[in-house]
Amino acid sequence: MAYPAEAANAPETSAPSTSFPSDIRFEQYRDERDMPGIVSLIDKDLSEPYSVFTYRYFINNWPDLCFMTMQGDRCVGAIICKLDVHRCRKTHRGYIAMLAVEKELRGQRIGSKLVQLCLDRMRQLNADECVLETEVTNLGALGLYRSMGFVKEKRLHKYYLNGNDAFRLKYLFKLPEGFHAGMGCLGQLVESWTPETKE
Protein backbone atom coordinates (compact mmCIF):
# COMPACT_ATOMS: atom_id res chain seq x y z
CA MET A 1 0.00 0.00 0.00
CA ALA A 2 1.20 3.50 -0.78
CA TYR A 3 1.64 6.06 1.96
CA PRO A 4 1.56 9.35 0.04
CA ALA A 5 3.07 12.42 1.65
CA GLU A 6 0.45 14.62 0.04
CA ALA A 7 0.87 17.99 1.65
CA ALA A 8 -2.16 19.90 0.48
CA ASN A 9 -3.72 21.00 -2.75
CA ALA A 10 -2.97 24.68 -2.13
CA PRO A 11 0.66 25.60 -2.88
CA GLU A 12 2.72 26.41 0.20
CA THR A 13 4.93 28.55 -1.96
CA SER A 14 2.11 30.97 -2.74
CA ALA A 15 2.55 32.81 0.56
CA PRO A 16 6.09 33.67 1.61
CA SER A 17 5.11 34.56 5.18
CA THR A 18 7.43 33.07 7.80
CA SER A 19 5.43 34.07 10.87
CA PHE A 20 2.80 31.72 12.21
CA PRO A 21 -0.40 32.75 14.01
CA SER A 22 0.38 33.50 17.66
CA ASP A 23 -1.70 30.57 18.92
CA ILE A 24 0.16 28.01 16.76
CA ARG A 25 2.74 25.72 18.34
CA PHE A 26 4.74 22.73 17.11
CA GLU A 27 5.02 19.63 19.28
CA GLN A 28 6.49 16.18 19.04
CA TYR A 29 4.10 13.24 19.37
CA ARG A 30 3.69 12.33 23.04
CA ASP A 31 1.44 9.29 23.42
CA GLU A 32 -1.76 7.56 22.31
CA ARG A 33 -3.84 10.56 23.40
CA ASP A 34 -2.47 12.45 20.37
CA MET A 35 -3.55 9.74 17.91
CA PRO A 36 -7.25 10.71 17.33
CA GLY A 37 -6.41 14.29 16.34
CA ILE A 38 -3.70 13.14 13.91
CA VAL A 39 -5.93 10.48 12.33
CA SER A 40 -8.87 12.86 11.96
CA LEU A 41 -6.73 15.52 10.28
CA ILE A 42 -4.88 13.26 7.87
CA ASP A 43 -7.91 11.19 6.87
CA LYS A 44 -9.55 14.35 5.48
CA ASP A 45 -6.75 14.94 2.95
CA LEU A 46 -5.21 11.71 1.75
CA SER A 47 -6.38 9.90 -1.35
CA GLU A 48 -6.29 6.45 0.26
CA PRO A 49 -7.91 5.46 3.57
CA TYR A 50 -5.69 3.98 6.28
CA SER A 51 -6.54 1.86 9.28
CA VAL A 52 -5.42 2.98 12.71
CA PHE A 53 -2.88 0.15 12.54
CA THR A 54 -1.08 1.94 9.69
CA TYR A 55 -0.75 5.04 11.84
CA ARG A 56 0.42 2.99 14.80
CA TYR A 57 3.04 1.20 12.70
CA PHE A 58 4.76 4.49 11.89
CA ILE A 59 4.12 6.42 15.08
CA ASN A 60 4.86 3.66 17.60
CA ASN A 61 8.09 2.65 15.84
CA TRP A 62 9.33 6.21 15.14
CA PRO A 63 7.57 8.53 17.63
CA ASP A 64 10.43 11.04 17.43
CA LEU A 65 9.68 11.46 13.70
CA CYS A 66 6.06 12.50 14.23
CA PHE A 67 5.33 16.19 14.79
CA MET A 68 2.07 18.05 15.22
CA THR A 69 0.94 21.63 14.78
CA MET A 70 -1.46 22.53 17.55
CA GLN A 71 -3.92 25.42 17.75
CA GLY A 72 -5.30 25.32 21.24
CA ASP A 73 -6.25 21.70 21.83
CA ARG A 74 -6.81 21.01 18.12
CA CYS A 75 -4.32 19.27 15.83
CA VAL A 76 -4.16 21.42 12.69
CA GLY A 77 -1.02 19.96 11.13
CA ALA A 78 0.84 16.67 11.31
CA ILE A 79 3.74 14.84 9.73
CA ILE A 80 4.51 11.14 10.14
CA CYS A 81 7.87 9.67 9.08
CA LYS A 82 10.17 6.73 9.59
CA LEU A 83 13.89 6.01 9.30
CA ASP A 84 15.38 2.60 8.64
CA VAL A 85 18.07 0.87 6.58
CA HIS A 86 17.43 0.67 2.84
CA ARG A 87 17.70 -3.03 2.01
CA CYS A 88 19.46 -2.61 -1.36
CA ARG A 89 21.91 0.24 -0.74
CA LYS A 90 22.36 -0.29 3.01
CA THR A 91 21.87 3.43 3.57
CA HIS A 92 19.84 5.07 6.32
CA ARG A 93 16.74 6.20 4.47
CA GLY A 94 14.11 8.47 5.91
CA TYR A 95 10.58 8.31 4.58
CA ILE A 96 7.84 10.93 4.84
CA ALA A 97 4.66 8.87 4.95
CA MET A 98 1.98 11.48 5.66
CA LEU A 99 1.73 15.26 5.84
CA ALA A 100 -1.40 17.35 6.26
CA VAL A 101 -2.35 20.90 7.27
CA GLU A 102 -5.87 22.23 7.88
CA LYS A 103 -7.16 24.03 4.78
CA GLU A 104 -7.68 27.38 6.48
CA LEU A 105 -4.03 27.47 7.60
CA ARG A 106 -2.37 26.51 4.33
CA GLY A 107 -0.03 28.96 2.67
CA GLN A 108 1.55 29.98 5.99
CA ARG A 109 4.60 27.67 5.74
CA ILE A 110 3.27 25.29 8.41
CA GLY A 111 3.86 22.30 6.12
CA SER A 112 7.40 23.49 5.43
CA LYS A 113 8.07 23.83 9.15
CA LEU A 114 6.83 20.28 9.82
CA VAL A 115 9.01 18.89 7.02
CA GLN A 116 12.02 20.82 8.34
CA LEU A 117 11.50 19.46 11.87
CA CYS A 118 11.61 15.92 10.51
CA LEU A 119 14.59 16.55 8.25
CA ASP A 120 16.50 18.07 11.16
CA ARG A 121 15.73 15.05 13.33
CA MET A 122 16.71 12.65 10.54
CA ARG A 123 20.00 14.50 10.13
CA GLN A 124 20.64 14.10 13.87
CA LEU A 125 20.00 10.37 13.45
CA ASN A 126 22.61 10.22 10.65
CA ALA A 127 20.20 9.72 7.76
CA ASP A 128 21.73 9.54 4.28
CA GLU A 129 18.57 10.44 2.37
CA CYS A 130 14.83 10.97 2.68
CA VAL A 131 12.18 9.92 0.15
CA LEU A 132 8.44 10.26 -0.32
CA GLU A 133 5.75 9.80 -2.95
CA THR A 134 3.10 12.27 -4.01
CA GLU A 135 0.57 12.40 -6.83
CA VAL A 136 1.84 13.98 -10.04
CA THR A 137 -1.19 16.30 -10.02
CA ASN A 138 -0.59 17.59 -6.47
CA LEU A 139 1.11 20.85 -7.39
CA GLY A 140 0.91 22.16 -3.82
CA ALA A 141 2.90 19.23 -2.44
CA LEU A 142 5.38 19.29 -5.34
CA GLY A 143 5.99 23.01 -4.79
CA LEU A 144 6.47 22.59 -1.07
CA TYR A 145 8.99 19.76 -1.39
CA ARG A 146 10.87 21.46 -4.23
CA SER A 147 11.30 24.53 -2.04
CA MET A 148 12.74 22.28 0.69
CA GLY A 149 15.41 20.79 -1.59
CA PHE A 150 13.71 17.58 -2.77
CA VAL A 151 14.20 16.46 -6.38
CA LYS A 152 12.19 14.08 -8.57
CA GLU A 153 13.76 10.63 -8.65
CA LYS A 154 11.23 8.70 -10.75
CA ARG A 155 7.63 8.51 -11.91
CA LEU A 156 5.62 5.58 -10.55
CA HIS A 157 2.84 4.62 -12.95
CA LYS A 158 -0.60 3.84 -11.46
CA TYR A 159 0.93 3.95 -7.98
CA TYR A 160 -2.28 4.79 -6.15
CA LEU A 161 -5.45 2.76 -5.78
CA ASN A 162 -7.29 5.44 -7.77
CA GLY A 163 -4.98 4.74 -10.74
CA ASN A 164 -3.04 7.99 -10.52
CA ASP A 165 0.72 8.20 -11.04
CA ALA A 166 3.13 9.38 -8.37
CA PHE A 167 6.51 11.05 -8.32
CA ARG A 168 9.08 9.67 -5.91
CA LEU A 169 10.98 12.63 -4.49
CA LYS A 170 14.36 12.44 -2.79
CA TYR A 171 16.29 14.68 -0.41
CA LEU A 172 20.01 13.95 0.05
CA PHE A 173 21.67 14.62 3.38
CA LYS A 174 24.96 13.44 1.85
CA LEU A 175 26.05 13.65 -1.77
CA PRO A 176 27.15 10.36 -3.37
CA GLU A 177 30.73 9.59 -4.30
CA GLY A 178 31.36 10.84 -7.85
CA PHE A 179 28.41 13.26 -7.80
CA HIS A 180 30.53 16.26 -8.78
CA ALA A 181 32.06 14.22 -11.61
CA GLY A 182 28.63 13.78 -13.17
CA MET A 183 27.97 10.24 -11.94
CA GLY A 184 24.57 11.15 -10.47
CA CYS A 185 23.25 9.32 -7.41
CA LEU A 186 24.68 5.86 -8.05
CA GLY A 187 27.74 5.92 -5.79
CA GLN A 188 28.02 5.48 -2.03
CA LEU A 189 26.81 8.45 0.01
CA VAL A 190 29.86 10.10 1.53
CA GLU A 191 29.66 13.88 1.52
CA SER A 192 27.52 15.94 3.87
CA TRP A 193 25.27 18.47 2.20
CA THR A 194 22.94 21.12 3.54
CA PRO A 195 20.96 23.06 0.91
CA GLU A 196 19.70 26.57 1.46
CA THR A 197 15.98 26.45 2.09
CA LYS A 198 13.51 29.27 1.56
CA GLU A 199 11.35 30.11 4.56
Side-chain angles (χ1 to χ4, degrees):
M1 173 180 270
Y3 304 108
E6 300 174 40
N9 291 319
E12 282 274 324
T13 53
S14 63
S17 172
T18 57
S19 60
F20 308 113
S22 59
D23 58 344
I24 290 290
R25 64 189 189 280
F26 295 88
E27 298 179 355
Q28 193 168 7
Y29 177 82
R30 295 164 298 186
D31 55 41
E32 188 74 16
R33 291 172 295 178
D34 291 332
M35 188 74 71
I38 293 171
V39 172
S40 175
L41 172 70
I42 292 178
D43 275 355
K44 286 189 278 188
D45 274 334
L46 298 185
S47 60
E48 298 178 10
Y50 304 134
S51 74
V52 71
F53 301 107
T54 302
Y55 291 96
R56 286 191 175 125
Y57 164 74
F58 286 104
I59 295 173
N60 291 343
N61 286 300
W62 298 276
D64 58 336
L65 289 173
C66 175
F67 292 89
M68 304 170 298
T69 307
M70 303 298 295
Q71 189 172 45
D73 294 329
R74 188 169 68 113
C75 179
V76 295
I79 188 167
I80 297 174
C81 306
K82 72 172 185 170
L83 177 63
D84 54 11
V85 177
H86 186 264
R87 60 183 175 271
C88 296
R89 297 188 65 196
K90 306 301 182 193
T91 55
H92 289 89
R93 173 178 275 190
Y95 181 69
I96 299 177
M98 305 171 205
L99 171 64
V101 175
E102 282 284 4
K103 288 183 180 180
E104 70 268 19
L105 293 171
R106 291 175 188 168
Q108 300 187 54
R109 309 296 290 174
I110 290 172
S112 298
K113 175 67 173 178
L114 289 167
V115 172
Q116 192 61 58
L117 287 168
C118 282
L119 292 178
D120 290 345
R121 182 61 183 141
M122 288 178 189
R123 184 178 282 108
Q124 291 170 359
L125 295 170
N126 203 31
D128 297 303
E129 60 191 7
C130 178
V131 298
L132 61 93
E133 295 88 24
T134 192
E135 287 192 75
V136 298
T137 57
N138 192 338
L139 301 181
L142 291 169
L144 183 157
Y145 292 119
R146 183 173 55 248
S147 75
M148 302 294 296
F150 283 82
V151 296
K152 293 176 186 174
E153 182 181 35
K154 65 173 79 169
R155 185 171 182 140
L156 304 167
H157 294 280
K158 297 185 179 178
Y159 184 74
Y160 295 106
L161 294 177
N162 62 11
N164 286 351
D165 292 357
F167 283 124
R168 174 164 294 147
L169 307 179
K170 180 181 280 191
Y171 178 95
L172 295 175
F173 294 99
K174 302 171 185 175
L175 291 177
E177 184 179 4
F179 182 85
H180 295 296
M183 296 173 61
C185 297
L186 300 177
Q188 292 297 314
L189 298 169
V190 294
E191 181 183 336
S192 271
W193 180 67
T194 305
E196 293 182 12
T197 57
K198 298 176 183 177
E199 269 300 331

